[in-house]
Amino acid sequence: MSAQPEMPPRTAMEHRIPVEHRTAVEHRTAMRVHPELRPAFESLPRFADPYEDIEGTREGFHAMLAAVPADRTGVDSERFEIPRADGSALTVEVYRPEGGAGSGGGEGAAPGQDAGTADGGAGRALPAVLHFHGGGYALGRSLPGQDRAAIALCRELPAVVITVEYRLAPEHRYPAGVEDCYLALEWVAERAGELGIDPARIALAGKSAGGGLSAAVALMARDRGGPAIVHQSLCVPDLDDRVGADEAADAEGAGGEEVEAEDATPKGTDADGPDADEDADLKATGAEDADAEGALGARVTTGRSVQRSWKHYLPEGTAAADAYAAAARATDLSGLPPAYVLVCDLDPMRDAGLAYARRLMDAGVPVTVRNVPGAWHGFELFAPETRVAKEMAAHWTGQLRAALYPVAG
């Protein structure tokens, strides 16, 4: 989850641990951050639980987006309603290069390619990217016509980019969201001709929860004999419901969901007794690991916040997610489309992403992997002008372009 809209009050543990101790821990934490990203890290707002007021969180997110409208230069978009089996409708928005880019004259050619190679024999058709937004499966939906990632991909690839307004948790828990994404894939494939899409060049892409949805939809398409997918682009993917489970269990064992939010006097002691000072010192020292986590986690996504997201996404009482909820649970990864997996050093989902990439490789799936050193989950939202962020975006976009515009042999 990368939305951090407001600064909550200081927690009980922050008040208890001496300022000099917190400062030292925060300094050590900052030293793990890429040097170029430290100013952005140090200016981050304190992390707030988005689920405490999910509607308020969504409203705040949309207000932030509305304050700075996206630059739609060179891009047109159109919204469509796709009927669901229950009679409701799924909204998708189709972004296209303005003026029919990709038609004759080589407008659709990627850099270094001629028009014939770009066409892929499909005439005026462009490749397509189904883009699933992130936001912990609960928020992150852009305003109409304002999806910045879709606009950028539409221009830079170029491609037809379809954004999917899948149903959000916790009102609509799994499998609502992922079934919406799969329905959108079927709709795009069936209407490829009228949408100006080459059906042989359809890719899935998403960040965070969107990356998890991309991986799940790729599995569904394989298992259901669905539309062909040429590429799956998984950027900091949220694809394993076990991420952060140990941290959450430790927090529960300490007497509360969040250790740093508890007045956690050790059991069997008297906070006001003769050992109170010693207990406080021991707690400050013994909680160093938790406080180090807090120094990072008070500002960015941690394992416990990932667990909170899964708690609200999965049906209540779920002990273990199935593979279409959490792709890392899949036992067979063979026959899936080539993949790109991007992770960030300080992201609690990093190891799960790398493990998934390795398992894809072991199953014979071509995979490109990139790690962004010293970066946290969603860092590019707060440091978009840094070289680190620009290089990450360029690599992600370049790999997607290479998949959609393969060089002829």
Side-chain angles (χ1 to χ4, degrees):
M1 197 123 186
S2 55
Q4 300 148 340
E6 60 182 323
M7 182 182 296
R10 296 171 68 84
T11 63
M13 181 168 278
E14 284 181 299
H15 282 300
R16 281 178 163 269
I17 296 176
V19 171
E20 61 272 17
H21 176 72
R22 292 200 306 269
T23 302
V25 171
E26 290 175 1
H27 175 71
R28 287 194 297 276
T29 301
M31 291 301 292
R32 299 170 57 197
V33 176
H34 190 288
E36 191 185 12
L37 301 178
R38 284 178 195 161
F41 172 77
E42 291 167 359
S43 67
L44 287 175
R46 308 296 287 181
F47 190 84
D49 179 358
Y51 296 98
E52 287 183 348
D53 178 10
I54 191 64
E55 284 301 325
T57 300
R58 290 170 184 161
E59 289 173 8
F61 179 70
H62 287 153
M64 179 179 67
L65 293 179
V68 185
D71 176 8
R72 288 171 48 94
T73 304
V75 174
D76 292 324
S77 68
E78 184 176 3
R79 293 169 70 80
F80 296 87
E81 301 292 317
I82 304 173
R84 299 188 183 97
D86 65 1
S88 62
L90 166 65
T91 300
V92 299
E93 187 152 9
V94 178
Y95 292 79
R96 299 184 183 87
E98 196 173 57
S103 60
E107 292 180 1
Q113 294 178 311
D114 59 31
T117 302
D119 282 344
R124 298 181 178 182
L126 281 170
V129 178
L130 272 89
H131 178 258
F132 308 132
H133 68 78
Y137 302 99
L139 63 148
R141 184 178 295 165
S142 292
L143 299 173
Q146 294 288 301
D147 192 301
R148 288 169 169 77
I151 292 169
L153 290 175
C154 183
R155 275 197 298 248
E156 295 171 21
L157 291 175
V160 176
V161 182
I162 303 91
T163 61
V164 183
E165 296 186 3
Y166 57 85
R167 285 168 288 181
L168 300 175
E171 300 93 329
H172 303 283
R173 294 174 181 260
Y174 170 80
V178 72
E179 289 291 353
D180 281 351
C181 293
Y182 185 75
L183 177 62
L185 170 65
E186 291 186 311
W187 181 84
V188 167
E190 290 169 1
R191 289 159 179 77
E194 62 190 78
L195 294 173
I197 289 170
D198 177 359
R201 292 186 290 162
I202 298 176
L204 308 174
K207 293 183 179 181
S208 194
L213 289 167
S214 296
V217 171
L219 287 166
M220 295 168 82
R222 180 199 65 181
D223 296 345
R224 297 177 180 181
I229 299 167
V230 72
H231 184 73
Q232 52 178 324
S233 182
L234 316 179
C235 185
V236 292
D238 187 2
L239 43 67
D240 194 337
D241 64 302
R242 293 162 291 192
V243 170
D246 290 344
E247 295 171 35
D250 289 345
E252 290 288 346
E257 183 177 351
E258 297 288 345
V259 171
E260 63 265 33
E262 295 295 321
D263 184 0
T265 301
K267 292 182 179 180
T269 66
D270 180 355
D272 297 319
D275 295 328
D277 290 342
E278 181 180 353
D279 289 338
D281 290 341
L282 286 172
K283 189 168 75 171
T285 303
E288 183 166 332
D289 289 342
D291 192 39
E293 172 78 358
L296 189 64
R299 301 175 185 276
V300 301
T301 301
T302 66
R304 288 200 298 276
S305 56
V306 173
Q307 276 295 299
R308 188 186 295 117
S309 175
W310 284 104
K311 177 182 176 182
H312 288 85
Y313 176 56
L314 297 174
E316 294 185 56
T318 300
D322 67 33
Y324 298 157
R329 293 278 192 175
T331 56
D332 178 12
L333 300 183
S334 62
L336 290 170
Y340 174 74
V341 180
L342 182 143
V343 298
C344 288
D345 236 359
L346 304 182
D347 187 345
M349 294 181 266
R350 180 197 65 181
D351 290 350
L354 293 175
Y356 192 71
R358 175 60 185 265
R359 290 185 57 221
L360 285 169
M361 295 178 203
D362 290 344
V365 176
V367 183
T368 299
V369 179
R370 184 178 180 91
N371 175 59
V372 184
W376 62 91
H377 189 88
F379 79 96
E380 70 279 8
L381 300 177
F382 301 94
E385 298 304 316
T386 60
R387 185 177 63 180
V388 179
K390 291 179 179 179
E391 287 180 349
M392 183 190 80
H395 196 266
W396 174 59
T397 304
Q399 290 296 311
L400 193 49
R401 183 186 298 114
L404 294 173
Y405 289 98
V407 176

